[in-house]
Amino acid sequence: MPAPFRHSSLAVTLLMVLLPFSSVFGQTGTPPIPPFDDFMNGLLTKHKIPGGSLAVVKDGRLLMARGYGMADPANKLQAQPDSRYRIASLSKFITAVTVLHLVEQGKLTLDQKAFALLPDLTAPFGTQEDDRLSSITIANLLTHTGGWDDSSAGSGFDPMFASPTITAALGVSGPASSENTIRYMRGQKLDFDPGLYYRYSNFGYNVLGRIIERVTGMSYEQYVRTQVLAPMGIAGTRIGNSLASGRLPGEVAYSPNGITDNVFPEDADQQVPWPYGGWCVECQDAHGGWVTTVIDYARFMTAVEGRRGSSFLTPDSIAAMTARPGARDWDNASAWYGFGIMVRPVTGGQNWWHSGSTDGTTTYQIRSSNGFNWIVFLNWRPATNDGINAIQNEIDSGLWNASSKVTSWPDVDYFATSYPDVDPAQAAAQPFISARDGVLNSATLDRGVVSGSWGLIRGSNLAPGTRGWTPEDISRNRMPTSLDGVSVLVNGEPAYLFSVSPAEIAFQAPQDLPSGWLPVEVKINDVSTGMVLAHITRNAPGLFTYQENGVTYASASQDDGSELTDGGATPGQVISLFATGLEPTRAGIVASMAQQAQMPVVTIGGINAKVRTTALVGPGVFVITAVVPDMPSGDQAIVLTSNGVDSPFGVFLKVASSQSGN
């Protein structure tokens, strides 16, 4: 101890006050409740677990929150009570609560047919949709009774971890998006009639995530963060990033069980530790993508049913959430799977619990009938299924056993002192980019942004208002890199801005970016959204389009710039098409001479069109002139191919006249 504090009563007092909050033997946080400390220390020691965190709540009061061991052993960072962890399948309860919130608002019903809400996500060409798919309800998805069996007794196929299979089948780049996974599965047979059995299905909750997006008009993450978590006083919970370069502030390092092939194209590392590219965390948002702290998850659990005040859900919703489903598995069972949680009736009420598990992550939560909530997160997972089941059972029994040994519970509430709620208005106003496909090619609305091409950033509170650049924003023939205090950084380089709004930013990517998954960040008057990872590539051709009667058409004109006739283009006619992402270009220059570019392949109705010219005519915009081949009238699919990369399917060109001789 430094000399000025020797024999000082002040020093003794300070140590008595501060020691419980300091790091002692690898523990951090609030004062311990010894049986729970013993349990966590024993668990980490027995299994050689790097680190973990624990929250203990009674009657809505946070009695203890502590970190144990190392959050990041390589960098010698200790686990904290507010360390962030991937929570894996504990995400499902967040999705279930969100669905019930929408039911309460009249935007969904539990007996509503799920796939009728996703008419655009159709089965792949050449596959047959199972007729039973149309009978699957929202309740079936919530209770894992939709008809899919991921276990070895069923198909043994979990599509949420099968990106290579799905991308190969659909001919798309990886990782398989949430939507493409649904398209693929619509072409697969169900394993059983919906409602008949309980079979755990990550995929069913992926479908729920997309339904939430359809009925709210917001991304899943955006709706949950602003309309569910923010009213609970939760601001730091978000969808995680897959790659190590995307670790969030305060997020732990995950201990891997070996290496595997990287599902992310053009990433520098083709073999990666399982937790960092073995699957797509962002694509699993609704069933396993959330990253949070034990404290905020405890805050969420207590808010759902009002253990800390008003209940987020109504009593009717909670009754529906915990009711015994009709699946045969639960006919005479003492416990069952409700909506996102296991439920067991006991004297005086119900116990709820759920586990979460992906490589590098083990999570567990218990809500007891007598007022307790216990939350455990670990940055480690056993390597075998038997080991996973054993550690979950050990955590469950260990928490109950620790509770039984406590003779006197502390009269404190660290929710009110050390870890208070964030003001709901402030939480809802936090700026963020949606982690799942929040940075897209502005033409294709798909992944893949090329240096000098146009991209879109989607999220919430991205700008104070809506406006595009004006002549006053141009300096020395350069587009602005800031509008109303809003700026965008791609791999640390400023991007050029076309327009900003609270929900969307149109930007031109900086030139000379390397290919790969690079960080993108928005700053609003120096307040950061935090970063997400975006796919930057050398070729991502996309036609600018418009919608008419539910069909996506390529924007096209006559070669002199005048509009096409109402009927569309005619065979033999030269038309101009407008595109971005054909190849890397310079960025930020407002006006310059047209520059010739490499000609793409253009196919219309499956027939190669003769391409006459391709030129860069403005910032990130190419004009392609091509001759329409001889073909029947009607909507004809149009595709660009640049260096072997195709533009997305589903874009059409109106052709006005019939093929000659018809």
Side-chain angles (χ1 to χ4, degrees):
M1 184 179 295
F5 287 96
R6 287 177 184 164
H7 312 297
S8 166
S9 60
L10 174 60
V12 174
T13 302
L14 285 171
L15 284 173
M16 290 178 64
V17 172
L18 296 177
L19 187 59
F21 291 89
S22 66
S23 172
V24 181
F25 302 115
Q27 305 162 25
T28 60
T30 66
I33 300 174
F36 286 97
D37 250 21
D38 293 343
F39 160 67
M40 287 295 290
N41 287 325
L43 190 73
L44 267 62
T45 300
K46 176 181 176 181
H47 297 285
K48 299 180 180 178
I49 300 170
S53 299
L54 165 69
V56 176
V57 176
K58 181 170 174 26
D59 300 326
R61 294 179 295 115
L62 181 62
L63 305 186
M64 179 179 125
R66 289 176 65 76
Y68 301 84
M70 304 302 291
D72 184 348
N75 291 301
K76 297 181 172 58
L77 298 177
Q78 288 188 299
Q80 304 293 327
D82 55 358
S83 291
R84 285 169 153 178
Y85 297 76
R86 294 175 181 171
I87 62 171
S89 285
L90 296 197
S91 301
K92 290 181 173 67
F93 193 47
I94 295 176
T95 298
V97 169
T98 302
V99 169
L100 287 168
H101 178 60
L102 292 169
V103 170
E104 291 178 0
Q105 297 176 70
K107 295 181 178 180
L108 284 174
T109 62
L110 293 175
D111 60 358
Q112 199 164 356
K113 300 300 188 284
F115 285 92
L117 296 167
L118 304 172
D120 55 313
L121 301 181
T122 55
F125 180 77
T127 64
Q128 182 66 43
E129 187 168 296
D130 192 316
D131 290 339
R132 296 172 294 177
L133 207 70
S134 62
S135 68
I136 297 172
T137 65
I138 300 294
N140 290 147
L141 299 178
L142 288 165
T143 55
H144 299 292
T145 58
W148 304 282
D149 186 351
D150 300 349
S151 71
S152 57
S155 66
F157 177 73
D158 185 345
M160 303 312 300
F161 291 89
S163 179
T165 299
I166 293 170
T167 55
L170 299 184
V172 297
S173 64
S177 69
S178 305
E179 289 82 1
N180 279 335
T181 301
I182 293 174
R183 292 186 182 101
Y184 175 82
M185 289 299 290
R186 289 194 80 152
Q188 306 298 307
K189 285 188 66 65
L190 294 179
D191 296 303
F192 58 88
D193 291 345
L196 190 60
Y197 301 113
Y198 161 84
R199 298 293 184 269
Y200 198 84
S201 173
N202 289 314
F203 174 69
Y205 272 75
N206 173 42
V207 176
L208 287 171
R210 311 296 67 82
I211 289 172
I212 290 168
E213 292 177 334
R214 295 302 195 276
V215 300
T216 65
M218 301 166 71
S219 76
Y220 166 81
E221 181 180 9
Q222 184 181 10
Y223 187 81
V224 174
R225 287 181 66 168
T226 60
Q227 305 302 311
V228 177
L229 299 179
M232 298 177 179
I234 299 171
T237 297
R238 58 160 293 176
I239 300 299
N241 295 314
S242 300
L243 302 179
S245 58
R247 270 176 62 191
L248 304 176
E251 186 177 2
V252 300
Y254 303 103
S255 179
N257 287 306
I259 62 173
T260 187
D261 291 337
N262 194 344
V263 301
F264 285 78
E266 297 188 38
D267 189 53
D269 299 316
Q270 298 308 305
Q271 289 275 301
V272 292
W274 264 105
Y276 295 113
W279 70 93
C280 175
V281 174
E282 299 91 334
C283 307
Q284 300 184 0
D285 53 359
H287 78 80
W290 287 101
V291 173
T292 190
T293 69
V294 291
I295 296 168
D296 273 348
Y297 201 84
R299 200 185 315 270
F300 167 74
M301 290 297 301
T302 55
V304 167
E305 57 174 327
R307 283 184 164 179
R308 299 180 56 231
S310 60
S311 172
F312 183 76
L313 294 179
T314 66
D316 286 347
S317 290
I318 293 173
M321 178 179 77
T322 58
R324 184 191 299 266
R328 291 180 180 178
D329 307 71
W330 310 129
D331 284 349
N332 298 303
S334 61
W336 55 81
Y337 197 100
F339 296 173
I341 48 171
M342 288 294 298
V343 179
R344 184 187 303 279
V346 294
T347 302
Q350 297 172 332
N351 295 336
W352 307 343
W353 73 97
H354 207 290
S355 63
S357 176
T358 52
D359 199 272
T361 304
T362 298
T363 59
Y364 209 85
Q365 71 87 7
I366 297 174
R367 173 266 192 202
S368 75
S369 64
N370 59 342
F372 288 102
N373 292 91
W374 304 309
I375 319 293
V376 172
F377 295 168
L378 306 173
N379 59 354
W380 164 92
R381 186 183 80 165
T384 66
N385 287 334
D386 286 345
I388 293 167
N389 292 332
I391 196 69
Q392 291 170 352
N393 291 334
E394 189 172 348
I395 292 171
D396 186 279
S397 61
L399 290 169
W400 285 103
N401 184 52
S403 178
S404 70
K405 293 179 179 179
V406 179
T407 57
S408 178
W409 295 95
D411 185 17
V412 295
D413 182 10
Y414 294 110
F415 279 140
T417 56
S418 303
Y419 305 103
D421 295 356
V422 177
D423 177 78
Q426 292 181 0
Q430 277 199 338
F432 65 88
I433 306 170
S434 295
R436 187 184 67 85
D437 297 339
V439 183
L440 300 172
N441 182 308
S442 65
T444 65
L445 299 182
D446 202 350
R447 300 184 196 130
V449 177
V450 177
S451 289
S453 72
W454 287 101
L456 285 178
I457 296 173
R458 290 178 167 176
S460 190
N461 306 308
L462 297 175
T466 299
R467 84 170 181 96
W469 62 263
T470 65
E472 289 74 24
D473 297 308
I474 305 302
S475 176
R476 297 180 180 179
N477 201 34
R478 287 276 180 175
M479 294 172 58
T481 56
S482 178
L483 289 175
D484 293 347
V486 178
S487 59
V488 173
L489 296 175
V490 181
N491 204 36
E493 297 292 328
Y496 297 94
L497 303 183
F498 178 77
S499 64
V500 299
S501 72
E504 190 173 274
I505 295 173
F507 72 98
Q508 187 185 24
Q511 62 192 49
D512 300 326
L513 291 171
S515 295
W517 290 81
L518 304 183
V520 176
E521 175 186 14
V522 174
K523 289 189 175 181
I524 306 97
N525 295 319
D526 294 326
V527 176
S528 174
T529 57
M531 70 173 181
V532 300
L533 298 178
H535 185 205
I536 307 300
T537 185
R538 290 192 59 80
N539 304 102
L543 287 160
F544 288 104
T545 61
Y546 66 96
Q547 294 280 326
E548 185 177 293
N549 298 323
V551 180
T552 302
Y553 292 104
S555 297
S557 69
Q558 299 188 54
D559 62 341
D560 62 2
S562 59
E563 292 184 4
L564 295 173
T565 63
D566 290 342
T570 57
Q573 183 179 18
V574 179
I575 61 172
S576 295
L577 301 165
F578 305 91
T580 193
L582 298 185
E583 62 187 28
T585 70
R586 61 182 181 264
I589 300 173
V590 177
S592 64
M593 296 291 291
Q595 178 180 334
Q596 294 301 307
Q598 180 177 323
M599 292 187 185
V601 176
V602 178
T603 59
I604 304 174
I607 303 172
N608 281 4
K610 181 179 180 180
V611 178
R612 288 191 167 183
T613 62
T614 303
L616 181 71
V617 298
V621 177
F622 295 89
V623 172
I624 304 159
T625 59
V627 181
V628 179
D630 196 23
M631 62 181 54
S633 61
D635 293 344
Q636 300 290 346
I638 181 168
V639 176
L640 302 183
T641 304
S642 177
N643 287 329
V645 179
D646 293 334
S647 61
F649 298 100
V651 178
F652 296 89
L653 178 72
K654 288 183 179 180
V655 176
S657 64
S658 299
Q659 187 174 7
S660 59
N662 280 4

